[in-house]
Amino acid sequence: MLKRSTTGKPLSTAQKRLWSAAQGTAFVAALAVIAGLIVYPDATLRLAWFGVVPLLPASFLVNAGFWRGVCPIATANTFAAPGSGRALRGSTLRVMLAAGMILLVVLIATRRLALNTEGPVLAGLLLAIVAAAFVLGRFYRSKAGFCNSLCPVLPVEKLYGQSPLIHVRNPRCVPCDLCSTKGCLDIDPVRAVTAETTPRLWMKTPFGLFSLSFPGIIMGYFLTADYPVAGVLDVSASIFGGGLASLLLLGSTMTVVSAAARVRLRVVTVLLGALSIGIYYWFAAPASIQAFGGAHTVGVIARTALLLLVLVWLLVALRRATKSKGSDVPGIA
Ligand code: SF4
């Protein structure tokens, strides 16, 4: 299956130019955001957390490849010559993927303690992430050292990008150089989330544990407030406590249901993705509108529109999950 992905049609010159321009623009925009976080922290924090970040989950439903094709961190990660460096496989890949999920949860909690309110701290973190992605890209092939392993955004891209509404090729992967031998989202979004064969096996994997915890983590995040660092216990109780409650509740439900009936793993992962992003937009859509001075009614309209998008995605993804035996990606069996 991996070999088949390397035989895709090359990008045309126009496509290459378009993607290069988009990648360059995104990289410059990221540098501007980092500078803005230091010089105009309040305005830039608002723009980043309430303007840009809330758009990303919806874009992952359409296709995570749009973001993955232009992401400035991925640009730093793939700066080295194509094909150079080691591919990532086996236990190293598994450990780095698990580390990325832990990093994501820690960063979500850190938002409440510093990253939502301290521009220079967020700027320093972003610079450190870009630097780490660049350095790891010198040792590991293409996206293997960060984008396809350690990046804390990757678990969210996988969960929401598992059944994309439209097809987009990642321009960094044409041709694919097999940088990560298992679970690459760009090769096959379905198999990126359903590497195990049954729900019972899957729920014990790091990604299974993450997917079951994530709805509660999101709810815990929105049900707490921004605190100074001294509020670490309140924030942890809400976010980690929410994650644990979600894991226990959804995990035990899944155990009972899968013991009583044959449930397709794809259906489970689709339902968990829709639940997580639905909770996210229930809170995030009105908060974003309010942050820019919009009326309450506009916030309700934005929430409704985004939840409708989630519903459309859910219906499409469930139809594929219950009917199709293979991948949603053309050319992948
Ligand atoms: S996984 Fe991380 S580095 Fe790769 S495209 Fe997503 S955000 Fe960027």
Side-chain angles (χ1 to χ4, degrees), residues 3-4 34 76 84 92-93 101 145 173 175 183 198 226 228 239-241 247 269 282 286 302 311 319 330:
K3 274 186 185 152
R4 292 180 64 176
I34 289 171
S84 63
T92 314
L93 178 57
M101 291 175 221
C173 310
T198 68
D226 291 341
I239 294 176
F240 300 132
L247 175 64
T269 59
W282 178 267
L311 181 63
R319 187 166 50 85

Coordinates of all heavy atoms in Angstrom, one line a residue, residues 3-4 34 76 84 92-93 101 145 173 175 183 198 226 228 239-241 247 269 282 286 302 311 319 330:
K3 N 3.8 1.5 -1.2 CA 4.5 1.7 -2.5 C 3.6 2.4 -3.5 O 4.0 3.2 -4.3 CB 4.9 0.4 -3.0 CG 6.3 0.0 -2.5 CD 6.8 -1.3 -3.1 CE 8.1 -1.6 -2.4 NZ 8.4 -3.0 -2.4
R4 N 2.3 2.0 -3.5 CA 1.3 2.6 -4.4 C 1.3 4.1 -4.3 O 1.1 4.8 -5.3 CB -0.1 2.0 -4.2 CG -0.2 0.5 -4.5 CD -1.5 0.0 -4.3 NE -2.5 0.7 -5.2 CZ -3.8 0.4 -5.2 NH1 -4.2 -0.5 -4.4 NH2 -4.6 1.0 -6.0
I34 N 4.6 36.1 15.1 CA 5.6 36.0 16.2 C 6.0 37.4 16.6 O 6.1 37.7 17.8 CB 6.8 35.1 15.8 CG1 6.3 33.6 15.7 CG2 7.9 35.2 16.8 CD1 7.3 32.6 15.2
A76 N 9.4 24.4 7.9 CA 10.7 24.3 8.6 C 11.2 22.9 8.7 O 12.4 22.6 8.5 CB 10.6 24.9 10.0
S84 N 16.8 13.0 2.1 CA 17.9 12.9 3.0 C 17.4 12.6 4.4 O 16.3 12.8 4.8 CB 18.7 14.2 3.1 OG 17.9 15.3 3.6
T92 N 10.5 3.9 17.8 CA 10.8 5.3 17.8 C 9.6 6.1 17.3 O 9.2 7.1 17.9 CB 12.0 5.6 16.9 OG1 13.0 4.6 17.2 CG2 12.6 7.0 17.2
L93 N 9.0 5.7 16.3 CA 7.8 6.4 15.7 C 6.7 6.3 16.7 O 6.0 7.4 17.0 CB 7.4 5.7 14.4 CG 6.1 6.3 13.7 CD1 6.3 7.8 13.4 CD2 5.8 5.5 12.4
M101 N 1.0 13.5 21.5 CA -0.3 13.6 22.1 C -0.2 14.2 23.5 O -1.0 15.0 24.0 CB -0.9 12.2 22.2 CG -1.3 11.7 20.8 SD -1.9 10.0 20.9 CE -1.1 9.3 19.4
G145 N 10.5 13.6 11.3 CA 11.1 14.0 12.6 C 10.1 14.8 13.4 O 10.3 15.0 14.6
C173 N 4.7 15.8 -0.5 CA 4.8 14.4 -0.5 C 4.6 13.9 -1.9 O 4.1 12.8 -2.2 CB 3.7 13.8 0.4 SG 3.7 14.5 2.0
P175 N 7.0 13.2 -5.1 CA 6.5 11.9 -4.7 C 6.7 11.6 -3.3 O 7.6 12.3 -2.6 CB 7.4 11.0 -5.6 CG 8.7 11.8 -5.7 CD 8.3 13.2 -5.7
G183 N 1.0 4.8 9.4 CA 0.0 5.8 9.9 C 0.1 7.2 9.4 O -0.3 8.1 10.0
T198 N -9.7 -4.0 15.7 CA -11.0 -4.0 16.4 C -11.0 -2.8 17.3 O -10.0 -2.4 17.8 CB -11.2 -5.3 17.2 OG1 -10.2 -5.3 18.3 CG2 -11.0 -6.5 16.3
D226 N -8.9 31.6 32.3 CA -7.5 31.9 32.3 C -7.1 32.2 33.7 O -7.8 33.0 34.4 CB -7.2 33.1 31.3 CG -7.4 32.7 29.9 OD1 -7.4 31.5 29.5 OD2 -7.6 33.7 29.1
P228 N -3.5 32.9 36.5 CA -2.0 33.0 36.6 C -1.5 31.6 36.9 O -2.2 30.7 37.2 CB -1.8 33.9 37.8 CG -3.1 33.9 38.5 CD -4.2 33.5 37.6
I239 N -9.1 20.3 33.1 CA -8.7 19.7 31.8 C -8.4 18.2 32.0 O -8.9 17.4 31.2 CB -7.6 20.6 31.2 CG1 -8.1 22.0 30.9 CG2 -7.0 19.9 30.0 CD1 -7.1 22.9 30.4
F240 N -7.5 17.9 32.9 CA -7.1 16.5 33.0 C -8.2 15.7 33.6 O -8.5 14.5 33.2 CB -5.8 16.3 33.9 CG -4.6 17.1 33.3 CD1 -3.8 17.9 34.1 CD2 -4.3 17.0 31.9 CE1 -2.7 18.6 33.5 CE2 -3.2 17.7 31.4 CZ -2.4 18.5 32.2
G241 N -9.0 16.3 34.6 CA -10.1 15.6 35.2 C -11.2 15.4 34.1 O -11.8 14.3 34.0
L247 N -12.5 9.6 29.2 CA -11.9 8.3 28.9 C -12.7 7.1 29.6 O -13.0 6.1 29.0 CB -10.5 8.3 29.4 CG -9.7 7.0 29.3 CD1 -9.5 6.6 27.9 CD2 -8.3 7.1 30.0
T269 N -14.3 5.8 15.4 CA -13.4 7.0 15.3 C -14.2 8.2 14.7 O -13.9 9.3 15.1 CB -12.2 6.7 14.4 OG1 -12.6 6.2 13.1 CG2 -11.4 5.6 15.1
W282 N -19.2 24.3 19.8 CA -20.2 24.8 20.7 C -19.7 26.0 21.5 O -20.4 27.0 21.7 CB -20.7 23.7 21.6 CG -21.8 24.1 22.5 CD1 -21.6 24.6 23.8 CD2 -23.2 24.2 22.2 NE1 -22.9 24.9 24.3 CE2 -23.8 24.7 23.4 CE3 -24.0 23.9 21.1 CZ2 -25.2 24.9 23.5 CZ3 -25.3 24.1 21.2 CH2 -25.9 24.6 22.3
P286 N -19.1 31.1 19.5 CA -19.5 32.3 20.1 C -18.4 33.1 20.8 O -18.4 34.3 20.7 CB -20.6 31.9 21.1 CG -20.7 30.4 21.1 CD -19.7 29.9 20.0
A302 N -23.0 31.7 14.0 CA -21.7 31.1 13.7 C -21.6 29.7 14.3 O -21.2 28.7 13.6 CB -20.5 31.9 14.2
L311 N -22.1 18.3 11.1 CA -23.2 17.3 10.9 C -23.0 16.7 9.5 O -23.1 15.5 9.2 CB -24.6 17.9 11.0 CG -25.8 17.0 10.8 CD1 -25.8 15.9 11.8 CD2 -27.1 17.8 10.9
R319 N -21.4 7.3 6.3 CA -21.8 6.6 5.1 C -20.6 5.8 4.6 O -20.7 4.6 4.3 CB -22.4 7.5 4.1 CG -23.0 6.8 2.9 CD -23.8 7.7 2.0 NE -23.2 8.9 1.7 CZ -22.3 9.1 0.7 NH1 -22.1 8.1 -0.1 NH2 -21.7 10.3 0.5
P330 N -8.5 8.3 -3.4 CA -8.4 7.6 -4.7 C -7.1 6.9 -4.8 O -6.1 7.5 -4.5 CB -8.6 8.8 -5.7 CG -9.2 9.9 -4.9 CD -8.8 9.7 -3.5

